[in-house]
Structures are given as structure tokens and as C-alpha cells.
């Protein structure tokens, strides 16, 4: 799991993520110098460290390197949140506390994200209801029939759909 970036590492990665293109040490240096006094060799060392840690990849361009982010800031943030959450001795309580710290905008972003992950969730204006099954109705699948079906039964053979042996399972193609 990722370790939180240091202040200078974060400042460099922020530019790499924002620019979303291959960047040179010189470009990052010039932008950082608008905020602070910093040496070329310091930025070069930080970018080399980020490469060694796997945050950026680099390609030779003449006598310099061009650096590109390996993942997005969103993926980095998600990994940090997951790491912090997984270290909790009470994950549910940690989530409740985290949600309690959120602003209204953050809670709305969370609702939007949940609708992406679970499209069946109601939107903000839709009522949240639970559908109770009709007590008087039985599903056709619940009724026994003597008609043959194409569905596998408990007496299935060794060749089941999705079985790795038949090349259609999750391990196929590896």
C-alpha cells in the first residue's frame, strides 16, 4: 500500500497529475520556483525518488528524462483512504466518524459515487423504499415441473459453465 507523499513529493506529483503529460525536471522546477526557492538538483532527486518508488515512469528525451504519472491522484487518494480504513480496529465506526466529518458537498459526491457503483440506488429526489415480496404469489421457478430445462442441476457433470477446465472460467486465457 502507498505511503503518504512528503510535502515536496506531493508538490511535484500535483504538477505531474495536473499537467497530465510527460514533464521534465526543468518544467517542474520553474513552476515550483514561483512559490519557493528550490534547486534543480533537489527537484531532480525528488523526481528520481518518485520514479524509484513507482509513482512515475520516465523516458529518455535527449539529455533529459520526461516523467509521466503511473496512476491518478484519485487512485492515490483512494489507496490512502483504503489503507487508513483497513488499519482500523472498528471499520464501521471509522466510516461513521469519517462521514460525520464530511461537508455537504462531500456527502453529495459520495452519493454520486455510490450511484455509479450501485446504479440501482435511488437518486436524491427518489424515495428510499424496500419492496416486500407479494405473499400470495409464487414464482414459477418455485413450482416443480416435469419439463426438462437447460439449466444445470445439483446432479451436474464435471463440465460446469465457467469451469476453468473448459476454458471459460476466470482463469482462462492466462
Amino acid at each position: 500500500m502507498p505511503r503518504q507523499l512528503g510535502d515536496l513529493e506531493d508538490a511535484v506529483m500535483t504538477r505531474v497529475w495536473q499537467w497530465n503529460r510527460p514533464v521534465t525536471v526543468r518544467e517542474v522546477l520553474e513552476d515550483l520556483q514561483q512559490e519557493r526557492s528550490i534547486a534543480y538538483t533537489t527537484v531532480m532527486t525528488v523526481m528520481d525518488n518518485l520514479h524509484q518508488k513507482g509513482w512515475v515512469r520516465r523516458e529518455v528525451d535527449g539529455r533529459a528524462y520526461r516523467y509521466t504519472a503511473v496512476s491518478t491522484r484519485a487512485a492515490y487518494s483512494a489507496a490512502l483512504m483504503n489503507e487508513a480504513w483497513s488499519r482500523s480496529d472498528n471499520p464501521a465506526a471509522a466510516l461513521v466518524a469519517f462521514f460525520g466529518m464530511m461537508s455537504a458537498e462531500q456527502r453529495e459526491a459520495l452519493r454520486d459515487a455510490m450511484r455509479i457503483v450501485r446504479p440501482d440506488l435511488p437518486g436524491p429526489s427518489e424515495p428510499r423504499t424496500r419492496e416486500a415480496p407479494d405473499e400470495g404469489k409464487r414464482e414459477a421457478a418455485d413450482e416443480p415441473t416435469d419439463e426438462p430445462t437447460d439449466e444445470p442441476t445439483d446432479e451436474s457433470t464435471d463440465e460446469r459453465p465457467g469451469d476453468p477446465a473448459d476454458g471459460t472460467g476466470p482463469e482462462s486465457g492466462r
Side-chain angles (χ1 to χ4, degrees), residues 96-153:
V96 169
F98 179 65
F99 295 154
M101 293 179 208
M102 295 175 111
S103 68
E105 293 82 19
Q106 290 170 321
R107 285 190 302 275
E108 184 58 34
L110 176 61
R111 281 190 286 275
D112 291 344
M114 288 302 297
R115 282 191 292 275
I116 291 169
V117 174
R118 295 271 321 267
D120 58 321
L121 293 176
S125 62
E126 300 174 53
R128 295 177 182 263
T129 61
R130 291 185 179 202
E131 295 180 15
D134 291 340
E135 303 241 348
K137 295 183 180 177
R138 287 180 54 183
E139 295 290 326
D142 292 343
E143 298 176 16
T145 66
D146 291 343
E147 297 176 25
T149 65
D150 290 335
E151 296 178 18
T153 64

Side-chain angles (χ1 to χ4, degrees), residues 21-24 27 57-61 64-68:
R21 61 173 174 76
V23 299
T24 63
E27 290 173 308
R57 71 173 65 76
R58 65 184 180 195
E59 295 180 14
V60 176
D61 183 15
Y65 285 115
R66 288 210 174 263
Y67 295 84
T68 308

Side-chain angles (χ1 to χ4, degrees), residues 10-20 28 31-32 35:
D10 187 67
V12 169
M13 284 305 300
T14 294
R15 283 151 179 84
V16 174
W17 282 320
Q18 285 176 343
W19 296 339
N20 196 27
V28 174
D31 201 60
L32 284 171
E35 300 171 1

